[in-house]
Amino acid sequence: MGPVRVLAIDTSANRASVALLEAGVLVASREHAAPKQSAERLVPLIAELLAETAWPRSSLARLGVAVGPGSFTGLRIGIACAQGLALGLGVPLLGVTSLRAMARAVPPEIPGPRCAVLDARRGEVFVAVHEAGPRARELLPPRALPVASARTTIESELGAAPLWIGSGLSLLDLTPSYVSAASHEPHASAVGLLAEELEPSEHPPLPVYIRDAGATLPNLGAPARH
């Protein structure tokens, strides 16, 4: 059996991306800045990547997709696309949280737990903490915390200051401990690393919304009596 080839998809944030990896090495990637249009753009982007690398679709051994937290619309589109591809190719599909992917994007040789932070709107941030290195084991699960208390909460639960990463840190008046494109915002390249390292049966492609979309039904009053 040759090196494992992975196709990864991330539509959870402001930048949608797709990536091809082989044996844990990024081979090629594509991005676009309109995740809510991903339904029309994802398949052409993937086709471009496969053409560029001359990889037949049949050579893919695994698929990985970001499952959030993030854009509701983007997540649904990305997961549905990945499920369709995995079914058609007959290969395992893994779901990877956006925050775990960001943590995995930090070089393993940099020590310390990584706390990934993204803007959750409504005065909150999405946060999660993971270990360094392959598989990026979860230390604190994804959740939404108030901007005013997020830093104190994380440092109190960890018992120390973590390695801070992510675009949401600006809301906390914190400077990132490490910055790269894939640690600042979720990216398919890190999703692909985890898709190769993790066990498919333990990481199904189920969306991680953290909270509802904020939509409420109008109050139409009591039903009319007839």
Side-chain angles (χ1 to χ4, degrees):
M1 180 178 176
V4 174
R5 288 181 169 179
V6 177
L7 166 64
I9 297 170
D10 190 307
T11 55
S12 65
N14 297 321
R15 170 192 60 186
S17 57
V18 294
L20 293 177
L21 298 91
E22 184 170 23
V25 176
L26 177 64
V27 175
S29 66
R30 287 280 189 281
E31 304 171 9
H32 71 79
K36 291 183 180 180
Q37 297 176 20
S38 289
E40 299 82 24
R41 297 195 180 191
L42 272 181
V43 173
L45 284 178
I46 293 168
E48 286 179 21
L49 285 185
L50 292 172
E52 176 185 326
T53 55
W55 286 9
R57 283 209 247 179
S58 59
S59 70
L60 297 172
R62 286 193 179 191
L63 270 65
V65 64
V67 294
S71 160
F72 279 63
T73 301
L75 289 175
R76 286 195 294 267
I77 291 170
I79 292 172
C81 178
Q83 288 175 326
L85 289 170
L87 183 63
L89 295 171
V91 298
L93 171 61
L94 291 87
V96 176
T97 69
S98 313
L99 301 167
R100 188 173 196 160
M102 292 164 65
R104 181 64 181 88
V106 180
E109 58 269 21
I110 298 178
R114 292 88 159 92
C115 181
V117 183
L118 289 172
D119 185 359
R121 314 289 183 186
R122 307 188 218 169
E124 294 181 323
V125 286
F126 292 129
V127 300
V129 181
H130 295 84
E131 285 186 345
R135 294 179 294 281
R137 188 175 72 87
E138 185 180 278
L139 297 176
L140 295 177
R143 57 186 151 157
L145 292 176
V147 166
S149 59
R151 177 180 182 178
T152 302
T153 299
I154 292 297
E155 292 183 348
S156 173
E157 293 185 13
L158 283 178
L163 189 82
W164 295 101
I165 58 172
S167 59
L169 290 176
S170 60
L171 298 171
L172 307 184
D173 292 325
L174 281 170
T175 300
S177 308
Y178 173 84
V179 180
S180 71
S183 67
H184 195 62
E185 289 275 340
H187 194 275
S189 57
V191 172
L193 288 175
L194 290 165
E196 181 176 345
E197 295 165 353
L198 299 173
E199 173 56 45
S201 63
E202 297 174 3
H203 299 275
L206 302 175
V208 176
Y209 292 136
I210 303 297
R211 63 187 186 198
D212 63 44
T216 56
L217 295 174
N219 183 1
L220 302 179
R225 293 173 178 260
H226 296 285

